[in-house]
Amino acid sequence: MSASEKGTAVSDQWGMAIDVDKCTGCKACIIACHAENNIPVVGAEQSAMGRVIHWLRIDRIEEGSYPNVSADFIPMLCQQCGSAPCESVCPVFASTHTHDGLNAQIYNRCIGTRVCANNCPYHVRMFNFTTPTWPEPMNKMLNPDVTARSEGVMEKCTFCVQRIRRGNLDAKVEGRKIVDGEIRPACVQSCASEAIVFGLLSDPESSVSRYLEKNHARSALVHGELETRPHVIYLRAERDSEVLEPRPIGLGARKAADSKPVASTTEQAAAPVAATPTPVAGTTPASNP
Amino acid sequence: MNVNRRDFLKIGMLTAAATTFTACGRPVEHGVVSQYQMPEYALPGQALFWASTCTEFRSDCAVSVKTVENRAINVIGMPGHFFSKGYAGKEAISGLQVVYNPGRIKEAKGGKVGDDGELKESLAVTVAQEALKNEGAVLFVVDRVAGMAGHALVQAAKAVGGKIWIADSEQSVRERRILKAVIGRAELPYYPLDQHDFVLSIGSNFIAENYCRPRVEWSFGRFRRTPGHLRGRMVSASSRMNPTDVCADRWVPVAPGSDATFLAAVGTLVALKKKASWPSWASVSVTDAATKTGAPAKTIEQLAERLVEAEKPLVVGGFQGASGDATVFLAHTLTKILIGDVPTFEPDMLVGSGSVPQDLFLSDQDVVSFLGAAKVVVLHGIDLVYRYPWLAESFKKVKTRAILATSPNESTDSATHLVPQRFWMEDWGDLLVESPEGAWYGLTQPAIRNQVPAAVSALGFCLEFAKAVGVADVTEVNPRKALQAGRAPADWENMLVRGGVWAEEEDIMYPNRAAYPPPAIANSGKPPKGYSAFKEIAPLKVSSLGAPAKDMTLVLLPTHLADGAMADRVWLQELPDAMTTVVWDSWIEINEDWAKENKIARHDLVEVKVGGKSLKGSAYPSPFIHPGAVGIPCGRGQKRQILREFVDLGWDPEGENPKELLDGSAAESGYFNLTASGAQVVKGKGSKILATFDKRVYDLPRHILPE
């Protein structure tokens, strides 16, 4: 099947930008993910054993000690690594890579060795140690678009691949390309502070690419030194340590800079920018120097 | 409404075409259909979206409930909504677990309820008759009064000489009365952070807990990143860091109970610079404040300077500390000095017309004596026994105790008349909001069939009750017909499709919206008439900074479970706490340096003693809390709400209810003290593992994000 018949180009690579400066730690993204992806509740005892399943978690990282302590909320999910450490160790190839940059977990191939989770430096792979249950009538809220996993199977964030595939299919049926913003994973859709931006990293005109371009100075890869080539790029919080020192602040300069009503960063990012080289498929725009 | 086969096929094809665009998170208004056509439109495997309004909190998010084959499987924000900006909070989404809760209340007690569709709220009439027999001794305990149900309730309360206690954990009535004193308007504060450049937050968790959550979170995102890249700045002060303090550029720890003193010192300086008047009881020197709060004097001076310099600053105060009234009062006063007014909005307009006597609403202190004399109590949305343990005995002695609830809680076992209530996803309702950007009317409509046949509509109950006690303008008790009355068919259909009447704006997060087909029905119609229940409410005079703390202070920590109302949602039970990452349990949070001195490590069992009462739990030494404070999370310790299916035998994670330690005393303002001084923390024997996410393999060190 040719690229055009598939509805996406072979070089399309999905990715995400997470702006730590905007994350409020509300965890709406986690609950949205649970609802969308049929993530089971393991219960109190299994949780105490460290077996809780969250495809997306919010790491609270602190710096300093009382009274000079600060903290950040950092959403952590499968980085959909271009060079994934989990893919090379699976003995049955249940962990594979798709043509559009996703790390896929094939549930019915998985035999539960957990070697992939052992190799994942981000600790984002979750194993079903027990049989997931949804006591009646809770099973009614399962999403039919997503497989419910069984005991002994590894699972992790898929970037809501069901939404991506549905979007691909719709675009193919209608004979058009995917429109930027058309496909949003559940976490992106629920993030009220718009801290998560999703789209095609391979498209320099996409909102996520422009957002990263505009905020390049703050961009960072978690465990970038491991050369995993993650498709999730973080934008560091710019905590102002001199917030109480005299300095110009104010809406006045904001108004002078842009006379339009306050708009999203992505809209601002859609304004013409200097030309940037087209990223090579499988790599990220903000790579390590 | 009857649909013949020919029309069904026509409409079915249109809907099928429309819904192909809606299954993966794209704007859904053209896939949203009227509930009227259900269930004929339930095409196998095809998602349908039902416009509705979430009423979990005052946020009133416009939402779209995604259903498949008449099963609700997701809740997403309504795209293009000018107020909620297309977002819904975790409370709205986790509501799915309430709808399908296996432990849901399935049977009524004390009377009959009608079958699905018949709506014979006989229990409403039964309770109304009890109220009429006991005029003047009727108490309604609710979390809010809003919309058509609020109008019916308020007018019914007047008719029987009753009183209303709004027992909301957001303390909205208290805040309204303070704003009435400061600016003359008894509305609620509105935090459009995107319109401000410098924010000071004192003892407040306003980003996570406020009256319009998704809207504030959205505006926080804009506050941080504006078109000109001028990042808004925020400083916060509290005795224990909360998620809002994490968002700040700098957190200033202050001694528990001294929030108001800190703010008073800042305000004294600001008023001096601005040549504005400042309350004499709040005139505090910097040196005095630095001594009492523990904050550096230079910090207080610099804060005052930055507030004066900022173009549009904002000061937000919270009720968290013992000096809550003073903190909130001074915060609003300071905002008024700095920008001339306090931004407010009114999310609780009543739909209808009428007047409300000033003394209809009771303060907390008034409730204590009134409850002792009451003959009829009606609880709606409140677990009184859990939230206010010191009122439990008085409540259980009331002759008629009518409770409307969806899930069992600590109060429902005590009900003489138990009314299973429909959840908002199954119910009809409305609300009317007046905001600075304009008014909007939200319609709650059923997205799925009623899962519990005996469950009744809350609006229907209120209407039938009001009619039974003789409220003249309530004649229709069927909620759908009541909401539809007086509307043109096209307007009603439009409201069903959209979920109300509201201004629409483009989804500017992704600017390629032109690619999507335009909505089939243009937004039209006008919000119904409404009136404020609180316009004439008495202002709250504040005249002191609060008493200084003695020994350690017990601080109640905010959690995902709110004030315990969300304990039946296992997703939220298993969701790690924002600051401690604890799941399924409560903890006793103490300062880590203090813990080290007293040889207390994480998981050690400790006992917290306050005024003759005590409770035990696992210690969590933390860098986020003042050494003079001991924090216990709210919302834990229920026995009835937690689903036993997820709690293994032998494991006892329910935690403790910290309110058991409070004595029910009231502050000067007449509202309950939700904190206590004179607490002691004693190390016990043994330990109990806390289920946490940090300090385990997930703990990625901070240097992982290089400078």
Side-chain angles (χ1 to χ4, degrees):
Chain A
M1 189 181 289
S2 70
S4 58
E5 285 171 321
K6 284 179 187 173
T8 56
V10 173
S11 60
D12 281 351
Q13 299 288 299
W14 294 103
M16 202 178 258
I18 296 181
D19 195 338
V20 175
D21 208 19
K22 287 177 157 187
C23 180
T24 63
C26 73
K27 298 188 169 68
C29 50
I30 298 179
I31 300 300
C33 177
H34 277 246
E36 175 70 19
N37 294 297
N38 303 334
I39 295 174
V41 173
V42 302
E45 192 169 6
Q46 293 291 310
S47 295
M49 295 163 74
R51 295 174 174 181
V52 64
I53 298 178
H54 289 311
W55 285 12
L56 165 66
R57 66 175 190 270
I58 306 291
D59 283 341
R60 184 227 64 233
I61 291 182
E62 72 269 19
E63 187 175 38
S65 58
Y66 183 86
N68 300 310
V69 63
S70 64
D72 276 320
F73 292 125
I74 299 180
M76 183 55 61
L77 66 167
C78 175
Q79 307 283 289
Q80 314 290 345
C81 303
S83 178
C86 58
E87 289 175 11
S88 53
V89 297
C90 178
V92 295
F93 303 106
S95 178
T96 63
H97 217 74
T98 67
H99 64 277
D100 50 0
L102 305 177
N103 173 264
Q105 181 69 22
I106 305 171
Y107 303 128
N108 55 352
R109 285 190 75 92
C110 178
I111 58 170
T113 66
R114 293 185 279 141
V115 175
C116 53
N118 192 49
N119 240 32
C120 176
Y122 307 103
H123 307 288
V124 291
R125 285 181 155 268
M126 310 286 157
F127 188 69
N128 284 282
F129 286 91
T130 55
T131 303
T133 55
W134 287 270
E136 285 264 358
M138 273 189 167
N139 53 339
K140 286 189 179 178
M141 59 189 207
L142 291 172
N143 182 359
D145 292 340
V146 178
T147 312
R149 286 72 62 192
S150 60
E151 181 179 343
V153 165
M154 192 66 74
E155 60 183 66
K156 64 170 192 66
C157 167
T158 63
F159 272 7
C160 284
V161 65
Q162 67 278 7
R163 294 187 176 197
I164 295 173
R165 293 293 169 258
R166 178 64 69 99
N168 290 349
L169 190 61
D170 289 346
K172 180 187 167 187
V173 164
E174 294 160 28
R176 57 170 176 85
K177 286 186 178 176
I178 299 281
V179 173
D180 181 48
E182 174 181 350
I183 299 171
R184 282 189 280 173
C187 53
V188 177
Q189 193 175 46
S190 65
C191 181
S193 61
E194 296 173 342
I196 311 177
V197 185
F198 180 79
L200 288 169
L201 290 175
S202 48
D203 177 7
E205 303 301 315
S206 69
S207 299
V208 64
S209 295
R210 290 183 175 278
Y211 194 86
L212 288 168
E213 181 65 33
K214 279 286 181 181
N215 294 282
H216 181 79
R218 293 192 295 132
S219 65
L221 302 175
V222 176
H223 278 313
E225 72 281 2
L226 298 178
E227 295 281 350
T228 55
R229 297 185 171 180
H231 280 211
V232 178
I233 298 101
Y234 289 82
L235 301 173
R236 286 190 301 273
E238 255 183 354
R239 183 160 290 107
D240 184 358
S241 57
E242 296 176 350
V243 63
L244 292 176
E245 297 301 322
R247 59 187 293 173
I249 50 175
L251 294 163
R254 201 189 278 190
K255 284 175 188 166
D258 190 339
S259 59
K260 293 178 193 173
V262 175
S264 71
T265 307
T266 45
E267 183 180 53
Q268 172 257 322
V273 295
T276 51
T278 304
V280 175
T283 64
T284 56
S287 53
N288 282 335
Chain B
M1 177 177 163
N2 293 321
V3 177
N4 64 36
R5 178 165 285 280
R6 188 188 294 272
D7 290 338
F8 164 63
L9 288 172
K10 270 192 215 167
I11 299 169
M13 285 168 64
L14 176 65
T15 307
T19 56
T20 55
F21 297 115
T22 62
C24 56
R26 284 183 274 172
V28 299
E29 52 266 44
H30 48 279
V32 177
V33 298
S34 165
Q35 189 265 356
Y36 261 128
Q37 281 77 32
M38 220 167 90
E40 289 84 351
Y41 284 78
L43 303 173
Q46 199 68 277
L48 294 180
F49 294 79
W50 307 97
S52 192
T53 303
C54 168
T55 54
E56 295 286 346
F57 292 113
R58 223 165 245 96
S59 302
D60 301 333
C61 306
V63 298
S64 192
V65 181
K66 181 180 180 183
T67 64
V68 174
E69 292 147 18
N70 294 319
R71 301 181 288 111
I73 64 169
N74 212 336
V75 178
I76 59 177
M78 178 62 75
H81 197 283
F82 81 104
F83 194 77
S84 53
K85 301 295 183 186
Y87 297 105
K90 59 182 178 291
E91 295 85 7
I93 304 168
S94 63
L96 293 170
Q97 292 199 315
V98 180
V99 175
Y100 297 118
N101 181 355
R104 228 177 124 169
I105 296 173
K106 294 184 177 64
E107 288 175 2
K109 189 163 88 173
K112 293 181 183 176
V113 292
D115 294 334
D116 185 24
E118 291 186 17
L119 291 171
K120 288 180 185 171
E121 270 94 6
S122 317
L123 259 174
V125 174
T126 306
V127 177
Q129 284 166 356
E130 288 297 318
L132 284 169
K133 280 186 225 167
N134 295 283
E135 277 195 38
V138 182
L139 178 64
F140 299 88
V141 185
V142 296
D143 52 359
R144 70 191 293 193
V145 287
M148 196 175 281
H151 165 75
L153 185 71
V154 159
Q155 300 306 322
K158 278 169 62 181
V160 298
K163 298 290 185 187
I164 296 178
W165 181 37
I166 298 182
D168 67 318
S169 50
E170 295 169 312
Q171 309 201 58
S172 64
V173 178
R174 194 175 182 182
E175 185 132 32
R176 284 175 193 283
R177 293 184 62 201
I178 289 176
L179 274 167
K180 186 81 184 273
V182 176
I183 57 171
R185 301 194 306 274
E187 294 178 350
L188 291 175
Y190 183 54
Y191 306 125
L193 297 179
D194 54 311
Q195 296 166 28
H196 296 273
D197 56 347
F198 191 88
V199 176
L200 172 60
S201 168
I202 306 282
S204 170
N205 190 21
F206 77 97
I207 291 179
E209 300 173 65
N210 67 80
Y211 307 113
C212 46
R213 284 170 186 68
R215 180 54 186 268
V216 171
E217 283 165 2
W218 175 88
S219 68
F220 174 75
R222 301 301 159 96
F223 171 76
R224 277 293 184 240
R225 297 287 141 193
T226 63
H229 277 290
L230 283 174
R231 184 176 173 277
R233 302 303 194 258
M234 189 159 97
V235 174
S236 69
S238 62
S239 57
R240 190 266 190 178
M241 186 187 274
N242 56 49
T244 298
D245 298 326
V246 171
C247 297
D249 290 279
R250 181 165 161 192
W251 173 61
V252 181
V254 295
S258 69
D259 312 56
T261 305
F262 181 88
L263 194 51
V266 173
T268 303
L269 288 174
V270 169
L272 198 63
K273 290 176 198 289
K274 286 279 198 178
K275 297 190 175 62
S277 69
W278 184 248
S280 55
W281 54 267
S283 292
V284 175
S285 70
V286 173
T287 316
D288 198 20
T291 306
K292 287 179 180 165
T293 65
K298 188 180 174 194
T299 300
I300 297 171
E301 288 164 353
Q302 285 178 315
L303 254 177
E305 285 165 14
R306 299 292 82 76
L307 281 169
V308 169
E309 280 171 9
E311 202 167 307
K312 200 167 180 195
L314 180 69
V315 183
V316 182
F319 289 107
Q320 288 184 356
S323 53
D325 291 323
T327 307
V328 174
F329 179 88
L330 293 177
H332 290 320
T333 303
L334 197 43
T335 300
K336 188 183 172 194
I337 289 173
L338 289 164
I339 61 173
D341 194 14
V342 177
T344 59
F345 80 130
E346 179 51 81
D348 290 346
M349 294 290 285
L350 306 186
V351 172
S353 60
S355 66
V356 181
Q358 217 180 68
D359 60 353
L360 187 70
F361 301 107
L362 295 177
S363 71
D364 295 355
Q365 200 167 30
D366 296 334
V367 163
V368 177
S369 51
F370 196 90
L371 188 60
K375 298 284 189 283
V376 178
V377 174
V378 180
L379 298 189
H380 176 216
I382 301 292
D383 182 359
L384 186 140
V385 169
Y386 174 80
R387 273 205 218 172
Y388 308 100
W390 52 89
L391 297 179
E393 284 306 308
S394 299
F395 169 68
K396 289 173 185 173
K397 288 177 185 166
V398 175
K399 186 172 156 244
T400 301
R401 304 180 295 275
I403 303 181
L404 282 87
T406 306
S407 298
N409 55 47
E410 311 306 291
S411 301
T412 50
D413 285 346
S414 312
T416 56
H417 299 76
L418 183 60
V419 185
Q421 183 188 318
R422 293 184 189 182
F423 194 61
W424 62 264
M425 283 186 213
E426 309 161 311
D427 201 1
W428 291 97
D430 67 352
L431 56 92
L432 184 59
V433 179
E434 287 192 352
S435 77
E437 290 89 352
W440 69 276
Y441 180 65
L443 183 74
T444 301
Q445 62 170 314
I448 50 173
R449 285 195 178 280
N450 190 13
Q451 298 299 297
V452 171
V456 302
S457 160
L459 173 58
F461 183 94
C462 292
L463 291 174
E464 187 154 4
F465 186 100
K467 186 182 175 191
V469 300
V471 175
D473 66 347
V474 175
T475 51
E476 176 57 70
V477 300
N478 180 297
R480 178 182 60 74
K481 289 179 183 172
L483 293 167
Q484 191 178 356
R487 298 212 154 262
D491 279 351
W492 175 243
E493 188 72 19
N494 187 36
M495 277 175 53
L496 290 176
V497 172
R498 293 202 169 273
V501 178
W502 36 268
E504 195 164 326
E505 61 183 35
E506 285 190 24
D507 181 357
I508 57 175
M509 176 67 176
Y510 295 92
N512 294 307
R513 200 171 159 82
Y516 303 127
I521 304 175
N523 198 356
S524 67
K526 291 178 188 172
K529 281 186 186 170
Y531 65 104
S532 166
F534 306 102
K535 202 169 175 183
E536 305 302 326
I537 204 165
L540 187 61
K541 298 289 182 191
V542 185
S543 58
S544 81
L545 293 172
K550 185 182 68 171
D551 294 328
M552 288 184 100
T553 299
L554 172 65
V555 175
L556 301 189
L557 308 178
T559 66
H560 307 305
L561 303 183
D563 203 1
M566 310 236 154
D568 53 349
R569 304 174 194 214
V570 286
W571 278 338
L572 298 183
Q573 289 277 5
E574 205 154 279
L575 196 65
D577 175 69
M579 301 308 299
T580 62
T581 72
V582 174
V583 298
W584 281 106
D585 206 345
S586 58
W587 63 92
I588 294 175
E589 193 166 326
I590 46 181
N591 178 273
E592 59 185 6
D593 296 329
W594 187 92
K596 206 170 173 181
E597 282 169 18
N598 290 274
K599 298 184 175 52
I600 298 175
R602 189 186 285 201
H603 310 299
D604 284 349
L605 281 172
V606 295
E607 189 175 6
V608 178
K609 298 179 182 178
V610 179
K613 301 179 190 177
S614 71
L615 62 80
K616 293 180 185 170
S618 300
Y620 186 99
S622 155
F624 305 123
I625 192 166
H626 190 278
V630 51
I632 305 179
C634 280
R636 304 277 181 189
Q638 294 92 348
K639 301 288 181 271
R640 293 285 279 120
Q641 285 222 53
I642 293 189
L643 291 176
R644 307 318 297 183
E645 288 84 351
F646 294 99
V647 180
D648 299 313
L649 289 172
W651 180 260
D652 181 19
E654 291 95 353
E656 301 287 344
N657 180 4
K659 287 189 174 171
E660 297 280 352
L661 291 176
L662 302 179
D663 60 4
S665 63
E668 182 192 349
S669 60
Y671 291 91
F672 289 132
N673 282 320
L674 296 179
T675 181
S677 66
Q680 291 178 310
V681 179
V682 177
K683 185 176 177 179
K685 287 185 184 171
S687 62
K688 182 185 154 212
I689 296 290
L690 279 173
T692 63
F693 268 71
D694 65 351
K695 305 300 181 200
R696 302 173 82 130
V697 292
Y698 304 115
D699 188 24
L700 301 174
R702 189 177 179 83
H703 67 261
I704 211 143
L705 296 178
E707 294 301 320

